[in-house]
Amino acid sequence: MPALVLLGAQWGDEGKGKATDLLGGSVDYVVRYQGGNNAGHTVVVGDQKYALHLLPSGILTPECTPVIGNGVVVDPSVLFSELNGLNERGVDTSKLLISGNAHIITPYNVTVDKVTERFLGKRKIGTTGRGIGPTYADKINRVGIRVQDLYDESILTQKVEAALDGKNQLLTKVFNRRAIEAEQIVEELLTYADRLRPYVADTVLVLNQALDDNKVVLFEGGQGTLLDIDHGTYPFVTSSNPTAGGACTGSGVGPTKISRVIGILKAYTTRVGAGPFPTELFDEDGAALRRIGHERGVTTGRDRRCGWFDAVIARYATRVNGLTDFFLTKLDVLTGWEQIPVCVAYEIDGKRVEELPYSQTDFHHAKPIYENLPGWSEDITKAKTFADLPKNAQAYVKALEEMSGAPISAIGVGPGRTETIEINSFI
């Protein structure tokens, strides 16, 4: 049963789109299992660059069926905008499947997200303001709107009214905003029903039958391990589970059917939004990483915070996800440094700590302990095998592999689809 999970092993933006696209020709289904349009992947095919926010990366591979699972939250307007953009560029999107149990991001979810974040002021979390958190909150509070609700106007109306009972109290009495009319929301949501209908399916059944038929299914996580609602740097996290366990709950495929879990690691570290970041750089090296690596969020448009590789985080990702392999991306960005620092442990209250502290307080006070590795100056973007890499680049990869606790099976040496060194096949 060849089911693979591919996820971010840092704070997101590790290059998951490139990794998924690399595997796209070998898999039959690519499944997004959590998150919404607060995530983003950039995929470069030839001289074409595609920015995907909600759609699985497999949408660019004609032989592959892309699936939006039940764990994803869907903004229909964003979905159709993205589909239209791909269709205009000649990409066939007709094979897309969307779970009828996926939750809908409504206009009032977006409103609540934006006004709440603004209200928090200095205590803001750094959300994208796209309604993802409030939609997941509605789901847990059992007042959420699911895709299937668009096909029963009576149920849809009842659910919208129930959700707005509380939200309008919040908007009018706390945030001094106008109340939102339920009728207007229902009318807008119903305009999406007919266009969504061809894509809606019982994706749990489809995926399990595919695995029974020995099809290859790839589960693609958004964001990254350190943004997981349970296992990330809470509260500066997303509202879902990007970790490997989320692939099961977000798709309806049981854990016994997953054969491989691949973590995507950037050769350095970045994050978007607020929250602790022990190896963050505020000097010329940080600016250079941002410039050379084109570190700007695909979805947010915000500059990413940049820092050196953090082996403590990598080991943590290996543990909580049960990683079997790593895909190391953006190794080429490090070309030109004489010495490359790598964080091998933290100093917390004068003590050396080699594992991620569970305490939020301790992590906020963690200071990186660095080990310097020799750099290289040779262009590596044309490398096709591991042996083609400069000796120091090889040594850097081997050191990261040893520190991180799982084998590095592929290396990204450039942004293009073909600029990848495959050491061990994932399938």
Side-chain angles (χ1 to χ4, degrees):
M1 293 174 288
L4 303 88
V5 180
L6 190 147
L7 52 84
Q10 294 160 317
W11 275 286
D13 306 307
E14 302 93 347
K16 295 180 290 295
K18 177 183 175 68
T20 306
D21 183 62
L22 175 70
L23 294 167
S26 305
V27 303
D28 301 294
Y29 293 81
V30 175
V31 186
R32 272 289 303 274
Y33 60 83
Q34 49 74 225
N37 57 300
N38 57 340
H41 301 316
T42 298
V43 179
V44 179
V45 182
D47 60 351
Q48 295 291 309
K49 181 183 287 188
Y50 297 88
L52 304 175
H53 307 279
L54 182 59
L55 294 171
S57 299
I59 196 84
L60 299 175
T61 304
E63 302 81 14
C64 183
T65 299
V67 178
I68 292 177
N70 57 274
V72 178
V73 291
V74 179
D75 185 325
S77 64
V78 172
L79 174 69
F80 292 133
S81 175
E82 198 164 336
L83 288 171
N84 289 341
L86 291 178
N87 291 336
E88 288 170 3
R89 297 175 69 178
V91 177
D92 180 10
T93 61
S94 62
K95 295 178 71 174
L96 175 68
L97 299 179
I98 302 173
S99 171
N101 288 339
H103 280 245
I104 296 273
I105 299 173
T106 66
Y108 54 77
N109 292 135
V110 177
T111 298
V112 168
D113 197 359
K114 290 179 178 178
V115 298
T116 301
E117 185 78 347
R118 208 156 40 235
F119 182 77
L120 289 173
K122 293 181 180 179
R123 299 184 304 278
K124 65 182 180 180
I125 296 169
T127 78
T128 58
R130 288 166 166 80
I132 279 79
T135 304
Y136 276 114
D138 281 359
K139 177 178 179 177
I140 299 304
N141 287 326
R142 292 162 291 182
V143 293
I145 309 300
R146 298 190 294 179
V147 169
Q148 62 172 282
D149 296 332
L150 302 186
Y151 305 104
D152 189 320
E153 186 173 347
S154 175
I155 288 178
L156 177 62
T157 302
Q158 292 176 49
K159 287 189 172 184
V160 170
E161 289 175 347
L164 285 176
D165 280 346
K167 286 179 176 56
N168 276 334
Q169 294 292 319
L170 182 71
L171 289 170
T172 58
K173 296 182 179 179
V174 176
F175 298 123
N176 196 30
R177 298 287 295 258
R178 288 182 181 178
I180 297 173
E181 296 291 334
E183 183 179 345
Q184 181 180 346
I185 298 296
V186 171
E187 184 178 333
E188 179 176 339
L189 292 178
L190 287 175
T191 63
Y192 300 120
D194 286 342
R195 189 169 178 196
L196 270 174
R197 193 184 297 274
Y199 302 112
V200 180
D202 181 352
T203 56
V204 174
L205 179 61
V206 169
L207 293 172
N208 279 281
Q209 286 181 337
L211 289 169
D212 290 342
D213 292 338
N214 292 317
K215 302 292 186 182
V216 180
V217 178
L218 178 65
F219 299 95
E220 175 186 47
Q223 291 94 23
T225 296
L226 274 297
L227 291 178
D228 187 278
I229 185 70
D230 287 295
H231 304 292
T233 50
Y234 191 89
F236 303 100
V237 293
T238 193
S239 300
S240 58
N241 292 108
T243 44
C248 298
T249 56
S251 69
V253 172
T256 57
K257 294 187 176 182
I258 293 172
S259 56
R260 210 156 183 180
V261 183
I262 305 161
I264 313 304
L265 273 178
K266 198 174 283 185
Y268 48 101
T269 311
T270 62
R271 88 170 287 178
V272 172
F277 183 0
T279 67
E280 183 173 10
L281 296 169
F282 301 95
D283 57 9
E284 291 182 3
D285 285 332
L289 287 173
R290 187 176 301 109
R291 183 183 68 256
I292 299 168
H294 303 288
E295 295 297 350
R296 180 176 287 267
V298 177
T299 295
T300 64
R302 293 181 285 187
D303 284 342
R304 295 177 184 136
R305 301 157 64 190
C306 295
W308 298 121
F309 185 85
D310 190 330
V312 181
I313 284 172
R315 286 194 291 274
Y316 178 75
T318 301
R319 184 164 64 248
V320 298
N321 292 297
L323 295 179
T324 59
D325 303 82
F326 279 115
F327 187 137
L328 185 70
T329 63
K330 289 198 167 184
L331 184 64
D332 54 299
V333 174
L334 296 180
T335 298
W337 270 271
E338 290 186 13
Q339 297 283 324
I340 304 174
V342 173
C343 174
V344 296
Y346 300 145
E347 180 186 323
I348 302 175
D349 294 333
K351 296 180 180 179
R352 182 185 176 100
V353 176
E354 298 197 0
E355 300 296 344
L356 195 77
Y358 80 91
S359 163
Q360 176 183 338
T361 301
D362 284 349
F363 192 59
H364 271 277
H365 292 94
K367 297 178 181 178
I369 297 174
Y370 287 115
E371 177 180 318
N372 288 323
L373 300 178
W376 60 92
S377 58
E378 301 92 329
D379 178 16
I380 66 171
T381 57
K382 302 296 188 294
K384 300 300 181 185
T385 68
F386 188 70
D388 292 339
L389 293 174
K391 295 298 182 185
N392 286 350
Q394 293 182 33
Y396 184 80
V397 172
K398 289 177 180 176
L400 265 53
E401 180 178 76
E402 185 176 344
M403 293 175 190
S404 302
I408 292 175
S409 294
I411 304 167
V413 293
R417 176 181 260 182
T418 60
E419 293 173 320
T420 302
I421 295 171
E422 193 170 351
I423 301 172
N424 297 307
S425 175
F426 290 121
I427 298 175

